[in-house]
Each structure stands twice: as structure tokens, then as C-alpha cells.
Amino acid sequence: MASTITFIGAGNMAGAIIGGMIESGFSPDDVIATSPSDDVLAPLRERLGIRTETDNATAVAQSDVVVLAVKPQIMREVCEQMREAVQARRPLIVSVAAGLPAEILEAWLGGALPLVRCMPNTPALVGAGAAGLFANDRVDEAQRRLATELMEAVGLVEWVEDEALLDAVTAVSGSAPAYFFLMFEAMEEAGVTLGLPADTARRLAMQTALGAAKMALASDQPPAELKRNVMSPGGTTERAIAHLEQAELRRIMAEAMTACADRAAEMADELGQR
Ligand SMILES: NC(=O)C1=CN([C@@H]2O[C@H](COP(=O)(O)OP(=O)(O)OC[C@H]3O[C@@H](n4cnc5c(N)ncnc54)[C@H](O)[C@@H]3O)[C@@H](O)[C@H]2O)C=CC1
Ligand SMILES: O=C(O)[C@@H]1CCC=N1
């Protein structure tokens, strides 16, 4: 029998995962999205044909999997309000919230629940997501497979056995689409400065990123080797890469990603009080 999967919260992340799931063949009848406002739900219902509900407890009462996809700042209130419905049904809980530890979420929901923490990213919308997953001790093999199936429908899945590593996953993939979007902005601006029309520069930059990622995924050579293959001695790329190394791009990336992971840990301290 197909599982009914409810998304509590129907924003950017839930919309991206649901869009990818429907695209990959999940039945819209098996998916419910909730939000207090039907204005948020109507476009999803119309575009994807999924079921929607403005009352979280009503949706939970029909669900085998409940995906927590609201902002971390309101998670406690949302969990406590649906605690009774969750304890009556005991579905698999999947949280996509940054920072919030499994133990705290489990406590907010009344305790003793199978819970998977997942750090996805928005390219899930186009089936090219990347997610890190961690399961608590109550998750059985069938539920692990279900969580894998759910997230593999929208991209790559990597399980981690140490929950703390989800903060590193947040830095490497959860937040990382934004790093690349910043890079696209910068490359477009520089392309325009060099005389290209903005849309031409944008398309060239994006296609190049797609090509580089596809090529690196398909290759058994490490990125350093692929980079060397583009750099003709005394040529143009060598000059550009020397500039990026002198500007300490590696240090800048390491600092930005450390700040990202630190913020996830800080959010757990700020929001995770029982
Ligand atoms: N946006 C991203 O790239 C990523 C987000 N996340 C996580 O996903 C979660 C959601 O983030 P976004 O989708 O970006 O936020 P968002 O603000 O786009 O979506 C949150 C949704 O929750 C709904 N909502 C508010 N109160 C509610 C309630 N009481 N019951 C049910 N729904 C309610 C809102 O209507 C909104 O649709 C966060 O916990 C975030 O840490 C994780 C990975 C990536
Ligand atoms: O910025 C955030 O807090 C969320 C979590 C990872 C990506 N977006």
C-alpha cells in the first residue's frame, strides 16, 4: 500500500521536494501539504494536484510520514500543537529544519518517535537535490528505506551516522545552492563589464557550471586534475586561477562554510530549549 506523506509547511523547501516527487512519479493523491493560509496552498494544489489542509492535526491523522518543513523559529509551537495527533498515529517523522536536534524535536512531539533528520537543498525541485540524512534509534530498516526512497526521488542521498555531521552537510550542500547563485551573479556582472549582454553572460555561466558538475561527476579524475586540463601553460585560465588563489578563495570558502555550520549549531542552542 502506498504511504501518505504530509508536509507540515508548504514553503520553498517543501515545494521543491513535493515538485520533484510528483515529477519523479509519486502520486499526488499520496501527498498532503499544510499551511495556515490557503493562499499558500492553492498554487501547489492547482499546479501539482496534491491534497492540502490548513489544520496540521487533521493531516497528521491520515499520514504514514510527516515531514516537518516550517521555519526552525516556529517549530516548537507547531510540534506542540500537533503532539496529540502525532502520538495517536505514530508516523515516521522527517525534519528538514536546519539546526534542530532529533532529541529535541522528538520531545516537542511527545517523545518516543522514529525520526529522521534530513538536510536537503532546493535543487530537489528539478530532481537534482542533495540531502544528508540521520536516523534516530527508533527508525527501523523499512522506515530508513522509505526516507531514502522519498529523498532519492529528488536527488542524491547520503546517510550520516553522527547527527552532528548534519551541520557540515548544511555547509556543503543545504546552503550551498546560494553560493553558486552568488557566483552566477558575480560572473554575469563581470561578463557585462567585459562587454557581453547580461542574458548571454548569464546563460554561458550557468551552462558552464552545469557542464563542469556533469563532467566532474562522470569522471574518475579528481577536480584538481580536471582543472589542470583546462589550464594551458601560459594561457588564460592559468592567469584567472592564479588570481583566485592569490585572493585566497579556498580560505574564503572554508571561513564561509565554517560560519554556516557554526550557525546551525548556534540555532540548536537558541531554539532547542525543551
Ligand atoms: N530553503 C532552503 O534552501 C532550505 C530550507 N531548509 C529548512 O526547511 C524549512 C523551511 O524553510 P523554507 O521552506 O525555506 O521556509 P518558507 O518560509 O519558505 O516555508 C515555511 C512554510 O511554513 C508555513 N507555515 C507557517 N506556519 C505554519 C504552521 N503553523 N503550520 C504549517 N505550516 C506553517 C508557511 O506558510 C510557509 O509556507 C526550515 O526549517 C529550513 O531550515 C532546509 C534546507 C534548505
Ligand atoms: O538558510 C537556512 O537557514 C536554510 C537551511 C539550509 C538552507 N537554507
Side-chain angles (χ1 to χ4, degrees):
M1 203 186 74
S3 302
T4 299
I5 301 163
T6 284
F7 288 79
I8 304 292
N12 289 313
M13 199 56 248
I17 299 174
I18 297 169
M21 284 169 65
I22 302 302
E23 184 69 25
S24 80
F26 272 77
S27 165
D29 292 340
D30 296 333
V31 180
I32 306 175
T34 78
S35 171
S37 156
D38 195 59
D39 291 349
V40 172
L41 299 172
L44 275 179
R45 197 166 54 229
E46 279 152 28
R47 187 163 55 86
L48 302 170
I50 60 165
R51 294 153 64 195
T52 59
E53 184 50 72
T54 50
D55 182 62
N56 293 335
T58 306
V60 166
Q62 314 164 51
S63 304
D64 305 296
V65 181
V66 170
V67 183
L68 304 175
V70 296
K71 289 286 187 203
Q73 288 76 7
I74 63 162
M75 188 65 86
R76 180 179 194 156
E77 187 192 336
V78 169
C79 285
E80 289 179 349
Q81 279 168 0
M82 61 186 193
R83 177 185 281 184
E84 240 176 74
V86 166
Q87 288 296 332
R89 179 81 182 181
R90 309 192 66 76
L92 170 65
I93 306 292
V94 178
S95 167
V96 300
L100 294 176
E103 206 182 45
I104 300 281
L105 290 162
E106 202 186 343
W108 289 347
L109 288 166
L113 291 163
L115 193 145
V116 169
R117 264 190 72 195
C118 167
M119 178 41 60
N121 64 15
T122 51
L125 181 62
V126 291
L133 270 64
F134 166 81
N136 75 0
D137 291 345
R138 300 183 202 280
V139 174
D140 64 26
E141 267 316 302
Q143 289 170 324
R144 221 176 225 265
R145 276 198 302 277
L146 185 56
T148 304
E149 192 193 334
L150 176 67
M151 294 313 297
E152 273 188 346
V154 295
L156 175 76
V157 168
E158 297 281 347
W159 282 91
V160 296
E161 297 310 321
D162 174 2
E163 184 174 3
L165 289 177
L166 284 182
D167 293 348
V169 172
T170 307
V172 173
S173 55
S175 292
Y179 316 160
F180 291 103
F181 296 140
L182 171 64
M183 183 76 95
F184 292 158
E185 283 181 65
M187 288 177 72
E188 179 181 327
E189 281 163 22
V192 167
T193 303
L194 291 167
L196 285 172
D199 55 349
T200 303
R202 180 179 296 188
R203 279 193 298 269
L204 287 170
M206 288 180 186
Q207 177 64 23
T208 303
L210 178 69
K214 276 190 162 178
M215 193 174 154
L217 281 168
S219 173
D220 50 13
Q221 294 184 315
E225 191 56 38
L226 296 174
K227 183 185 69 188
R228 261 193 298 277
N229 294 344
V230 189
M231 294 166 66
S232 312
T236 58
T237 317
E238 193 178 78
R239 192 71 69 84
I241 295 294
H243 199 88
L244 289 170
E245 294 284 15
Q246 266 162 24
E248 297 195 63
L249 180 68
R250 289 171 201 263
R251 181 183 54 76
I252 293 168
M253 288 309 297
E255 285 176 5
M257 290 168 66
T258 302
C260 182
D262 287 353
R263 177 61 189 144
E266 197 179 278
M267 281 163 69
D269 291 339
E270 273 174 25
L271 305 167
Q273 317 299 328
R274 285 195 206 193

